[in-house]
């Protein structure tokens, strides 16, 4: 313990010194400044390099070698520095340098709401920074990482940790690399350097990046490889995941609030998420197979990314801004990397909670037999693995926490009380109906409970067996009745997990893709395009065939399963635990609520079909208002792409569509508060004589609109309306 204390007493000042050198390098104005930083970094590297040589084989010879290396680098370095150094600029106090530069450069005026990060103080260093070559920056980054590695190696050896020294060269090299970079000496020192350099540069870095960098430091601190203690691994996985989720929420919210962002920010976001995807995959491999190589490479990648950012920090605001929505591939990569990171995060939490039995319990098919059988087995194994993780309670909890936070943000900006209440219910339903009750309360007999156990219809909880027929039929009866009374919104906008996934601020802000993406455009309006017909037919027919096979297999008439798994259950996993997520991350190419717009969900189709003939519809108080309405905001706000809303309101005063899932964004978006929901509640009020004329209801005062482009003022109690965009 005492030894550990003394080692950290050396490591921490080294981290502080390195962070200070990084700052010096960033603020350097002349080649001499660079030379001094490089010299000090080289000296540190030679010092720790010498220590490693000695500690690997302590002897007089290795001591002489260590001292010799040190001397050569120190002397050579001094000659190099003296060649360039012109005092006193490198030794100016940091505050003096800052003051100097503040007087020399213009103050920028970006703000986070304008799509660039708020820089807080100094602008780009302009000409000065241009003088620094890429080579010198790369050299500083490489030397910092080399220093960390050699210092980590020194302390790993000094603390008596086991390092493999026998075996082939590559085995020893990889093992040493894994042990050193995965150790507390490397990781905690890096965390300290990252946080410290960000602190030292706090006046020089955009504030939003400071938040991101500090969050990155926290995520990295919880590296499970850092401490060799059985309690550390589960604690670090849980806390590191929580920190990463918080960071992702921050990034999503940033994007929601800022459409226009610079190329540097776009690049950093995607690169960071790629590093996180690799990091979570690396921790997964480390926990399952014991190899930390991918994890430590991702740590190095993240460090390179971090240093590159702070060396080019002025570009965060000065590079060209562009709407991130105008780059579908960027959005797709961002979402795909997020998903990969979260997939492995979910798997890790599952392993921590259930133990490694979670993975060994996954049913896998042996890859053997004829070529088609092998292809089938590979497909089966992939979907089985994928679906087990995405269908697991902890993946859903983790995903729910993240997307639920975005729904909370949406509630804060939603105007309609009914939509606010529905969004609250979405969160409650997700955690109680989709996770808590089926996973933790009724997990053993959930298949016997209608509606709760069979939320996605046939296949949800198992085979179409006689013992479950009552629960399955009961499910369709309950969900169908609710859809008749309240519309398909009871499923697609409330009970289904999709409601939480699609209705948070960030995903909802991408509904423009419904009108701009290639496939999205083909799926617009209530019309059943040929693409929709094909997908919906496939979904229904495949479900009916799977249900029939499942039933016949269950009663013993045939003996047919898919590699030992009930066909209807496998189809459920394929549709809802795999394909659904693919469609979700493909929002930039398909639009939002792809499960509805493509018709790929058979339970959704069932409810939407019933709803079409039920009581639910959208109505307007005054169709004439829609005629004169210039914005048609209701159509723009629909996350399902029902752009035929205004036409229907004008022709009939109401809107009915099998695709309408009653999200209600159109109601909130109407600048005239002209639109309202009609369902069994309105119907009953009409029957008992209350609220028989919605147009007579007093209107609430509203200023502004959501999702619209014009500015409106609507006065209470009358139809009087002032629209700044219309005379
Ligand atoms: S279509 Fe299906 S998956 Fe999509 S929201 Fe409706 S029930 Fe959920
Ligand atoms: S935004 Fe309102 S007024 Fe305009 S078309 Fe839609 S429902 Fe009618």
């Amino acid at each position: 313990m005492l030894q550990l204390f003394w080692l950290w007493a050396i490591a921490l000042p080294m981290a502080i010194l390195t962070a200070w050198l990084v700052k010096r390098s960033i603020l350097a104005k002349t080649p001499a400044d660079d030379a001094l930083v490089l010299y000090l970094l080289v000296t540190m590297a030679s010092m720790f390099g010498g220590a490693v040589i000695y500690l690997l084989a302590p002897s007089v010879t290795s001591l002489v070698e260590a001292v010799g290396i040190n001397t050569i680098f120190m002397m050579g370095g001094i000659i190099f520095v003296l060649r360039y150094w012109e005092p006193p600029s490198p030794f100016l106090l940091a505050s003096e340098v800052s003051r100097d530069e503040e007087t020399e450069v213009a103050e920028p005026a970006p703000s986070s709401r304008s799509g660039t990060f708020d820089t807080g103080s100094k602008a780009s260093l302009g000409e000065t920074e241009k003088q620094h070559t890429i080579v010198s920056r790369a050299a500083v980054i490489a030397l910092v990482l080399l220093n960390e590695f050699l210092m980590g190696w020194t302390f790993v050896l000094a603390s008596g940790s086991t390092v493999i020294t026998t075996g082939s060269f590559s085995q020893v090299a990889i093992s040493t690399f894994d042990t050193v970079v995965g150790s507390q000496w490397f990781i905690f020192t890096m965390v300290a350097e990252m946080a410290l350099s960000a602190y030292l540069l706090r006046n020089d870095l955009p504030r939003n990046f400071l938040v991101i960098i500090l969050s990155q430091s926290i995520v990295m601190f919880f590296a499970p490889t850092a401490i060799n203690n059985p309690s550390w691994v589960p604690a670090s996985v849980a806390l590191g995941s929580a920190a990463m989720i918080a960071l992702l929420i921050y990034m999503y919210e940033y994007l929601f609030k800022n459409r226009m962002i610079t190329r540097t920010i776009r690049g950093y976001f995607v690169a960071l998420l790629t590093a996180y995807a690799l990091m979570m995959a690396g921790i997964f491999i480390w926990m399952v197979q014991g190899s930390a190589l991918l994890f430590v490479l991702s740590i190095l990648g993240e460090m390179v990314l971090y240093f590159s950012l702070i060396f080019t920090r002025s570009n965060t605001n000065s590079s060209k801004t562009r709407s991130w929505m105008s780059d579908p591939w960027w959005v797709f990569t961002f979402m795909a990397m997020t998903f990969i990171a979260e997939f492995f995060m979910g798997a890790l939490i599952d392993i921590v909670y259930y133990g490694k039995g979670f993975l060994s319990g996954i049913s896998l098919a042996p890859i053997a037999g004829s070529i088609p059988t092998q292809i089938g087995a590979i497909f089966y194994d992939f979907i089985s693995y994928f679906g087990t993780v995405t269908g697991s309670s902890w993946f859903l909890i983790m995903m729910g926490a993240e997307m639920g936070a975005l729904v909370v943000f949406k509630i804060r900006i939603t105007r309609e009380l009914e939509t606010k209440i529905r969004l609250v219910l979405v969160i409650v339903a997700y955690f109680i109906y989709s996770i808590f009750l089926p996973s933790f309360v009724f997990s053993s007999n959930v298949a016997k409970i209608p509606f709760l156990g069979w939320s996605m219809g046939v296949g949800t909880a198992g085979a179409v067996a006689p013992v479950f027929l009552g629960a399955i039929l009961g499910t369709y009866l309950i969900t169908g009745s609710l859809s008749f009374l309240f519309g398909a919104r009871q499923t697609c906008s409330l009970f289904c997990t999709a409601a939480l996934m699609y209705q948070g601020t960030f995903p909802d802000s991408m509904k423009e893709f419904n009108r701009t993406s290639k496939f999205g455009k083909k799926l617009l309006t209530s019309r059943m395009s040929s693409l929709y017909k094909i997908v919906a037919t496939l979904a229904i027919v495949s479900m009916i065939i799977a249900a029939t096979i499942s039933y016949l297999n269950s009663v013993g008439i045939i003996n047919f399963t898919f590699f030992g798994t009930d066909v209807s259950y496998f189809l459920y996993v394929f549709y809802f635990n795999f394909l659904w997520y693919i469609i979700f991350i493909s929002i930039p190419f398909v639009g939002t609520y792809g499960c509805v717009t493509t018709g790929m969900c058979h339970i959704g189709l069932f409810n939407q079909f019933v709803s079409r003939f039920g009581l639910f519809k959208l109505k307007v108080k005054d169709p004439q208002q829609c005629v004169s309405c210039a914005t048609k905001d209701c159509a723009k706000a629909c996350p399902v792409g029902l752009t035929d809303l205004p036409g229907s309101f004008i022709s009939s005063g109401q809107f009915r569509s099998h695709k309408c899932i009653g999200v209600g964004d159109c109601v909130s978006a109407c600048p005239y508060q002209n639109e309202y929901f009609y369902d069994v509640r309105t119907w009953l009020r009409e029957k008992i004589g209350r609220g028989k004329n919605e147009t007579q209801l007093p209107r609430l005062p509203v200023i502004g609109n959501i999702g619209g482009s014009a500015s409106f003022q609507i006065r209470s109690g009358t139809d009087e309306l002032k629209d700044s965009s219309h005379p």
Side-chain angles (χ1 to χ4, degrees):
M1 198 66 194
L2 193 64
Q3 185 195 29
L4 209 62
F5 172 81
W6 285 115
L7 289 178
W8 273 115
I10 301 170
L12 279 179
M14 286 296 166
I16 294 169
L17 176 62
T18 309
W20 183 79
L21 287 175
V22 168
K23 179 182 174 174
R24 292 300 317 168
S25 171
I26 288 168
L27 298 180
K29 290 181 173 180
T30 64
D33 295 350
D34 275 339
L36 185 75
V37 170
L38 287 172
Y39 165 66
L40 290 172
L41 286 172
V42 168
T43 306
M44 278 173 73
S46 68
M47 183 176 84
F48 286 115
V52 168
I53 289 173
Y54 174 73
L55 287 168
L56 277 174
S59 68
V60 176
T61 314
S62 61
L63 187 63
V64 171
E65 283 170 2
V67 173
I69 286 175
N70 246 307
T71 311
I72 291 168
F73 277 100
M74 272 173 63
M75 299 308 292
I78 284 173
I79 294 166
F80 175 70
V81 171
L82 288 179
R83 165 89 177 73
Y84 287 102
W85 192 42
E86 293 166 14
S89 63
F91 291 117
L92 282 177
L93 290 174
S95 56
E96 289 170 331
V97 174
S98 297
R99 274 201 304 277
D100 285 349
E101 288 173 7
E102 273 168 7
T103 57
E104 285 171 25
V105 296
E107 191 77 24
S111 76
S112 61
R113 296 201 65 81
S114 68
T116 55
F117 276 152
D118 181 0
T119 58
S121 75
K122 287 188 293 296
S124 69
L125 298 177
E127 287 306 310
T128 306
E129 200 162 58
K130 284 178 195 159
Q131 290 166 7
H132 298 173
T133 61
I134 291 172
V135 176
S136 87
R137 286 173 183 168
V140 170
I141 295 172
L143 279 170
V144 167
L145 291 175
L146 179 67
N147 261 317
E148 290 313 318
F149 182 77
L150 292 173
M151 185 169 78
W153 198 356
T154 303
F155 290 159
V156 162
L157 292 171
S159 62
S161 301
T162 316
V163 180
I164 294 177
T165 49
T166 53
S168 68
F169 175 77
S170 60
Q171 278 173 335
V172 173
I174 290 174
S175 168
T176 305
F177 182 69
D178 285 4
T179 309
V180 171
V181 180
S183 74
Q184 57 179 296
W185 304 109
F186 186 92
I187 286 176
F188 291 168
T189 316
M190 268 296 171
V191 168
E193 275 169 24
M194 206 182 202
L196 274 170
S197 55
Y199 174 76
L200 292 172
L201 290 162
R202 65 192 179 285
N203 294 328
D204 210 49
L205 269 174
R207 255 198 301 277
N208 313 61
F209 262 125
L210 268 181
V211 174
I212 290 178
I213 289 167
L214 290 175
S215 307
Q216 279 180 248
S217 314
I218 296 170
V219 172
M220 194 183 283
F221 177 81
F222 291 113
T225 57
I227 297 179
N228 189 14
N229 181 308
S231 310
W232 173 254
V233 174
S236 61
V237 166
L239 294 171
S241 300
M244 195 181 285
I245 288 171
L247 175 58
L248 290 171
I249 293 170
Y250 183 84
M251 292 166 82
Y252 287 145
E253 201 54 12
Y254 175 80
L255 290 174
F256 169 68
K257 289 179 177 167
N258 299 279
R259 277 288 173 97
M260 304 296 289
I261 57 175
T262 60
R263 200 174 56 194
T264 308
I265 297 172
R266 285 203 305 277
Y268 191 76
F269 275 24
V270 162
L272 179 63
L273 286 176
T274 305
Y276 278 166
L278 294 175
M279 183 188 288
M280 296 320 276
I283 299 175
F284 178 81
I285 292 171
W286 175 72
M287 282 181 75
V288 174
Q289 290 188 336
S291 167
L293 187 60
L294 184 60
F295 172 66
V296 297
L297 285 174
S298 72
I299 290 276
L300 284 182
E302 192 186 345
M303 293 316 302
V304 170
L305 185 65
Y306 165 71
F307 286 121
S308 312
L309 170 78
I310 58 172
F311 274 99
T312 57
R313 74 215 174 282
S314 56
N315 291 343
T316 55
N317 282 346
S318 61
S319 59
K320 267 191 186 167
T321 59
R322 176 179 165 191
S323 167
W324 52 266
M325 285 283 294
S326 67
D327 189 348
W329 277 106
W330 180 87
V331 184
F332 176 76
T333 313
F334 179 78
M335 293 190 68
M337 290 303 137
T338 310
F339 179 77
I340 293 171
E342 287 169 347
F343 177 86
F344 285 108
M345 192 193 295
L348 284 169
I349 301 174
D350 280 322
I351 292 174
V352 164
Y353 186 78
Y354 299 110
K356 286 194 183 163
F358 170 76
L359 289 181
S360 51
I362 297 175
S363 133
L364 294 178
I367 300 172
S370 62
I371 299 292
T373 310
Q374 286 188 32
I375 293 171
I378 291 169
F379 173 71
Y380 173 85
D381 289 351
F382 175 73
I383 297 296
S384 203
Y385 239 102
F386 195 101
T388 304
V389 172
T390 54
S392 72
S393 309
W394 284 101
F395 176 84
L396 291 173
I397 290 171
M398 179 265 304
M399 191 64 100
E402 182 184 306
M403 304 313 268
L406 303 183
V407 175
V408 171
F409 295 141
K410 175 87 182 287
I411 292 171
R412 289 170 54 193
I413 57 168
T414 297
R415 188 179 61 184
E416 295 293 310
L417 181 63
E418 168 140 358
T419 307
K420 271 182 190 282
I421 293 172
R422 187 183 58 75
L423 290 174
V424 171
L425 290 177
V426 164
I427 298 173
V428 173
Y430 183 88
F431 283 101
I432 295 183
Y433 171 79
S434 298
I435 300 176
F436 183 64
L437 293 180
S439 297
F440 298 104
V441 179
F442 302 111
S443 51
S444 56
N445 56 3
V446 74
K448 294 191 177 144
I449 305 174
F451 197 58
L452 180 66
W454 298 85
S455 54
M456 301 313 286
V458 167
T460 309
V464 186
V467 66
F468 301 139
L469 274 185
I472 297 172
L473 293 175
T475 298
Y476 282 91
L477 192 66
I478 295 170
T479 196
S481 304
L482 288 172
S483 283
F484 185 85
L485 298 174
F486 298 97
R489 64 193 315 223
Q490 60 86 16
T491 294
C492 298
S493 307
L494 180 57
F495 284 114
C496 179
T497 56
L500 190 92
M501 298 290 289
Y502 275 114
Q503 287 177 34
T505 45
F506 174 67
D508 188 58
S509 69
M510 291 190 281
K511 57 191 169 195
E512 203 176 301
F513 282 126
N514 292 60
R515 285 177 283 122
T516 55
S517 64
K518 195 174 162 196
F519 280 109
K521 280 194 260 188
K522 288 188 181 159
L523 301 166
L524 283 177
T525 77
S526 308
R527 188 178 62 92
M528 288 203 274
S529 63
S530 38
L531 180 63
Y532 180 88
K533 282 181 195 156
I534 292 169
V535 176
T537 307
L538 277 175
I540 296 282
V541 170
S542 63
M543 185 272 285
I544 292 172
I545 292 174
T548 309
I549 293 173
S550 176
Y551 181 77
L552 295 176
N553 184 62
S554 300
V555 296
I557 294 175
I558 61 170
N559 183 7
F560 188 88
T561 58
F562 192 54
F563 293 100
T565 296
D566 175 76
V567 179
S568 69
Y569 179 69
F570 184 81
L571 198 73
Y572 157 79
V573 173
F574 174 74
Y575 273 134
F576 297 109
N577 291 356
F578 171 69
L579 195 57
W580 191 94
Y581 286 100
I582 301 301
I583 289 181
F584 182 75
I585 61 174
S586 303
I587 287 177
F589 306 116
V590 180
T592 53
Y593 259 119
C595 51
V596 179
T597 59
T598 60
M600 59 74 72
C601 167
H602 50 76
I603 190 74
L605 286 169
F606 170 77
N607 281 294
Q608 290 150 24
F609 177 78
V610 175
S611 172
R612 176 72 183 81
F613 300 100
L615 297 172
F616 175 76
K617 57 190 159 190
L618 295 165
K619 292 184 86 169
V620 286
K621 296 161 192 166
D622 178 10
Q624 279 308 311
Q625 186 69 74
C626 299
V627 175
S628 59
C629 173
T631 63
K632 306 291 189 269
D633 282 338
C634 55
K636 290 180 206 157
C638 179
V640 183
L642 297 178
T643 48
D644 48 337
L645 277 158
S648 180
F649 287 148
I650 290 168
S651 62
S652 64
Q654 62 179 27
F655 180 76
R656 263 181 187 279
S657 164
H658 69 287
K659 285 189 192 170
C660 179
I661 52 164
V663 169
D665 285 355
C666 54
V667 177
S668 295
C670 175
Y672 308 95
Q673 290 189 292
N674 192 27
E675 190 187 336
Y676 63 96
F677 293 110
Y678 184 100
D679 61 22
V680 65
R681 292 165 298 172
T682 341
W683 183 80
L684 279 175
R685 278 204 299 273
E686 281 182 359
K687 291 293 164 204
I688 60 175
R690 285 174 55 209
K692 55 188 167 190
N693 188 349
E694 289 282 344
T695 60
Q696 291 170 1
L697 291 175
R699 293 181 181 182
L700 297 171
V702 176
I703 295 179
N705 65 325
I706 298 172
S709 51
S711 153
F712 301 93
Q713 287 192 353
I714 303 172
R715 296 185 184 167
S716 62
T718 68
D719 288 347
E720 193 182 348
L721 177 144
K722 297 271 184 241
D723 176 352
S724 64
S725 62
H726 310 300

